[in-house]
C-alpha cells in the first residue's frame, strides 16, 4: 500500500494473487476460501444439471426478472430493491463503480479483511482508506465518521471476515444512522450472517423499512454454490438502480444454471 498525507492508502494495481484458488483437488480443504465441506443442496445440483441439458446454448435473462422476484419475496422487499451479481465479488466492484468514481471519493474498509474491497478500489482508481480493527472488530465510531465526511462506499463485514466479530444492535443502528443523508454509502457485507447465532443483528430489517444502505448476501458459503457464482444486493431502489447502471456493459453476468440453482 502507498500512504498519502491523510493516511489514505492506494492499493497496488495487481492483486489477483489474493484470489488464486490453488490446486483443484476435490479432497483438499482450501480454508482461505471458506468453501462448504457439505456441498450444495441436492435440488440445486439437479437444477444445474437440468438447465445445462435443456438450454446451455441459450443466453440467460439479462434482466433477471424471475430471480429478482424470488429473492424479493424471500427477503420481503420490492423487486426494485434487489440486484443480482456474479457473486458478492462482482457486487463489490459494481458498488465501487457506482459510488467511488467521483473526484474526492474513496473506498473505506477495515484492515486485514476481504481483499476484494481493495481490488475494487484499484480498478476504479479510488484511494483506499483502511480502519484498524479494535479488539478484532469493526471500529464502528470511525466508520460512522467516514460515512459522514467522505463520498464513496464504506464496506463493513458483519460478521467480520476473518475474525468472526459480530456487531450488536446498537452498533448496526449507529452505522445506519450515520448513513442517512450522508455523502458516503454504507455497504453491509453479510456474506457470513448465515453462520451467526439466531437473533444476531443485521441491517436487512432496517433497509426493508427504508434505511439508506446496501446489504450483500451470497449463495457461495452456507448454500455451497461457490462454483455457479451468484449473490445479491438489497437496498433502496435509487442505489440498486446505480448498481444496475454500472453493470450495463455486461448484461449476462449470472448464467442460467446459476439462476436455476438459486431458485431451487
Amino acid at each position: 500500500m502507498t500512504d498519502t498525507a491523510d493516511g489514505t492508502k492506494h492499493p497496488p494495481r495487481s492483486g489477483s494473487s489474493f484470489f488464486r484458488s490453488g490446486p483443484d483437488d476435490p479432497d483438499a480443504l482450501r480454508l482461505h476460501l471458506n468453501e462448504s465441506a457439505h456441498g450444495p443442496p441436492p435440488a440445486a445440483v439437479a437444477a444445474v444439471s437440468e438447465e445445462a441439458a435443456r438450454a446451455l446454448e441459450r443466453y440467460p435473462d439479462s434482466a433477471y426478472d424471475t430471480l429478482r422476484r424470488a429473492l424479493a419475496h424471500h427477503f420481503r422487499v420490492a423487486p426494485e430493491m434487489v440486484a443480482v451479481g456474479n457473486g458478492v465479488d462482482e457486487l463489490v466492484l459494481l458498488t465501487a463503480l457506482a459510488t467511488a468514481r467521483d473526484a474526492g471519493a474513496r473506498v473505506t474498509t477495515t484492515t486485514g479483511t476481504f481483499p476484494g474491497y481493495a481490488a475494487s478500489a484499484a480498478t476504479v482508481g479510488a484511494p483506499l482508506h483502511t480502519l484498524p480493527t479494535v479488539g478484532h472488530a469493526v471500529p464502528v465510531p470511525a466508520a460512522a465518521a467516514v460515512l459522514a465526511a467522505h463520498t464513496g462506499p464504506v464496506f463493513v463485514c458483519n460478521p467480520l471476515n476473518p475474525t468472526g466479530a459480530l456487531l450488536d444492535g446498537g452498533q448496526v443502528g449507529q452505522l445506519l444512522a450515520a448513513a442517512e443523508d450522508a455523502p458516503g454509502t454504507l455497504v453491509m457485507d453479510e456474506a457470513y450472517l448465515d453462520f451467526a447465532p439466531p437473533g444476531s443483528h443485521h441491517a436487512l430489517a432496517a433497509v426493508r423499512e427504508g434505511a439508506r444502505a446496501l446489504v450483500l448476501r451470497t449463495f457461495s458459503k452456507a448454500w455451497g454454490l461457490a462454483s455457479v457464482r451468484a449473490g445479491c444486493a438489497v437496498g433502496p431502489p435509487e442505489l440498486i438502480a446505480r448498481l444496475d447502471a454500472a453493470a450495463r456493459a455486461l448484461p449476462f453476468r449470472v448464467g442460467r444454471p446459476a439462476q436455476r440453482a438459486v431458485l431451487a
Side-chain angles (χ1 to χ4, degrees):
M1 298 291 178
T2 302
D3 288 310
T4 59
D6 66 351
T8 298
K9 298 178 183 294
H10 292 267
R13 293 293 170 181
S14 177
S16 60
S17 62
F18 285 118
F19 302 99
R20 290 176 188 156
S21 60
D24 194 14
D25 178 356
D27 295 322
L29 287 176
R30 302 184 295 184
L31 297 180
H32 66 301
L33 295 176
N34 290 324
E35 294 166 326
S36 172
H38 306 289
V45 177
V48 168
S49 298
E50 179 184 317
E51 190 64 24
R54 186 180 73 89
L56 203 59
E57 78 283 2
R58 298 175 65 86
Y59 287 107
D61 171 19
S62 60
Y64 312 110
D65 284 331
T66 300
L67 184 56
R68 279 187 200 252
R69 287 196 299 269
L71 291 170
H73 177 76
H74 176 72
F75 291 118
R76 305 198 308 278
V77 298
E80 58 268 26
M81 294 179 66
V82 178
V84 299
N86 192 264
V88 161
D89 312 73
E90 184 185 48
L91 293 163
V92 167
L93 175 59
L94 293 178
T95 301
L97 287 167
T99 66
R101 303 187 73 180
D102 295 336
R106 64 188 189 180
V107 173
T108 300
T109 185
T110 49
T111 55
T113 190
F114 176 53
Y117 309 138
S120 294
T123 298
V124 303
L128 178 70
H129 183 66
T130 55
L131 302 172
T133 56
V134 177
H136 306 296
V138 173
V140 170
V146 172
L147 282 167
H150 298 278
T151 57
V154 176
F155 290 101
V156 175
C157 260
N158 185 43
L160 180 59
N161 175 3
T163 70
L166 191 63
L167 300 178
D168 63 30
Q171 291 171 315
V172 172
Q174 184 178 351
L175 289 168
L176 291 168
E180 287 299 314
D181 302 316
T185 302
L186 176 61
V187 187
M188 299 291 291
D189 186 346
E190 297 180 349
Y192 291 95
L193 194 70
D194 292 307
F195 302 101
S200 297
H201 293 279
H202 54 82
L204 183 61
V207 169
R208 188 181 292 126
E209 299 300 320
R212 185 181 176 273
L214 289 170
V215 174
L216 306 183
R217 295 289 181 91
T218 183
F219 297 93
S220 297
K221 306 302 183 186
W223 292 100
L225 296 176
S227 180
V228 299
R229 310 308 302 130
C232 66
V234 180
E238 180 270 332
L239 288 177
I240 295 298
R242 293 173 69 181
L243 297 190
D244 287 339
R248 209 161 281 154
L250 296 168
F252 305 113
R253 296 168 292 113
V254 182
R256 297 177 71 102
Q259 294 188 46
R260 283 288 306 278
V262 173
L263 289 169

